[in-house]
Amino acid sequence: MRWTMAGDNNSEIALITGASSGIGRAYAEALAPQCKAMLLVARDAAKLAAVAQALAGSGCEVHCIAVDLCEPLGVAEVMEAIRQKGPVTILINNAGFATNTALIDSDLDGELAMLSLHCEAAVSLCRGALPYMAEHGRGKIINVASLAGLIPMKGAAVYGASKAFLVAFSQSLAKESYKQGIAVQCLCPGYTHSDFHGRETLGGFDKNSVPAEFWSTAEEVVAESLAAFTADAAPVVVVPGEHNRQWVRAEQERQRAALDAQ
C-alpha cells in the first residue's frame, strides 16, 4: 500500500504518542503539512506545547494531551480523544522507555510499567482507532519497536521482549486489516539521536560507547519509515539504516547456524 493521502492534502488526522521529542516529534514535523489535525501525546506538557508552537505555521490543528500512558487513566483519556476528535487515520504508537539492567537486579515495578506502555497501551490505542479506520476504508498504523525486538541484548530482557511483542502483533494485525484498506508497519530503529538514551532508567548510558556510524537522526529514521509505504510491496517490519539491516542479517545467520548445529 502506497503512502498517499486520500482527498485533499490536509485530510488526515494523526495521533502520535511520545510526540514531545525524538522520533515522535520528527513524525509530527513530517506529517503536519499533510494533516488537518494532530493529537500529540506525551507526559511533559511544556515540551508538547513547544512542539505545537513549532508546528503553528503548518496549517494543522494541534491538540496536546499530556498524560502518562503507563497508567490506565492516561490510556482512557487518549481513547476518549480518539472518539471525540477523530476519526484518526494515522496512528503512531511511539511512546516508550528502556532499562539497562539484568532482570535479577531490576526494579520490577519499572519493568511492568514498561510492559504496560509498550504492549497494553499500543494494543488499546489500535483497538480504539481501528473501527473508525475500517469504517472509512483507510488508515495507517505505525508501531515503533526496536532492533532489540529482533536481536537479543543483555540488560534488555523485558525491553526486548516488549518490542518483540510489537513485531509479532504488527505482523498479525497487518494480515487482519489489509482488506479494510489499513496498512500496518512495525518500525525497528537502532541507536537514534534523541533524549531517549539520557533518561534515568538507562542508568547513565554512555552514547560515546557506540561508534558514530551506528547512530541515526530521528529525521532519518522517520524518512525511511514513511518512504517504506511507497514500495509496491510495503514491508510490515522496517529496519532503518543499512548498518542496522546488516546487524539483523548477521544475527539471523547466527541463529540459523545454531539451529543447524542441533
Side-chain angles (χ1 to χ4, degrees), residues 33-243:
Q34 305 170 61
C35 293
K36 65 180 180 181
M38 303 184 83
L39 284 66
L40 303 183
V41 182
R43 292 180 302 168
D44 193 315
K47 287 185 177 180
L48 279 178
V51 177
Q53 184 176 4
L55 299 177
S58 66
C60 174
E61 182 180 343
V62 178
H63 303 277
C64 296
I65 307 172
V67 296
D68 185 351
L69 291 175
C70 293
E71 301 293 336
L73 287 177
V75 175
E77 185 171 339
V78 179
M79 294 277 280
E80 181 62 16
I82 292 174
R83 189 184 70 83
Q84 290 190 4
K85 300 184 183 301
V88 168
T89 55
I90 302 170
L91 170 63
I92 302 176
N93 284 309
N94 169 71
F97 67 92
T99 57
N100 186 27
T101 308
L103 183 61
I104 193 172
D105 299 317
S106 67
D107 171 56
L108 181 58
D109 288 340
E111 302 288 5
L112 295 178
M114 187 193 304
L115 289 174
S116 294
L117 178 58
H118 294 173
C119 303
E120 294 182 17
V123 170
S124 296
L125 297 188
C126 285
R127 182 61 180 85
L130 278 168
Y132 300 103
M133 292 181 177
E135 181 180 351
H136 288 79
R138 66 187 181 95
K140 293 178 174 67
I141 296 173
I142 301 173
N143 293 316
V144 179
S146 167
L147 279 188
L150 304 172
I151 300 173
M153 296 181 181
K154 290 173 60 177
V158 177
Y159 177 76
S162 68
K163 295 301 188 176
F165 169 86
L166 286 177
V167 173
F169 171 65
S170 300
Q171 289 172 320
S172 293
L173 187 60
K175 289 182 177 292
E176 294 177 1
S177 305
Y178 81 98
K179 287 186 178 180
Q180 297 162 314
I182 302 167
V184 180
Q185 178 187 112
C186 186
L187 179 69
C188 295
Y191 293 108
T192 305
H193 289 298
S194 71
D195 63 359
F196 181 86
H197 293 94
R199 296 177 184 176
E200 183 179 349
T201 56
L202 274 174
F205 175 81
D206 182 9
K207 293 181 67 173
N208 293 322
S209 66
V210 179
E213 61 267 24
F214 284 94
W215 289 90
S216 301
T217 67
E219 291 75 17
E220 289 169 339
V221 168
V222 167
E224 285 205 44
S225 168
L226 299 183
F229 281 105
T230 68
D232 290 331
V236 176
V237 178
V238 174
V239 178
E242 180 56 32
H243 55 289

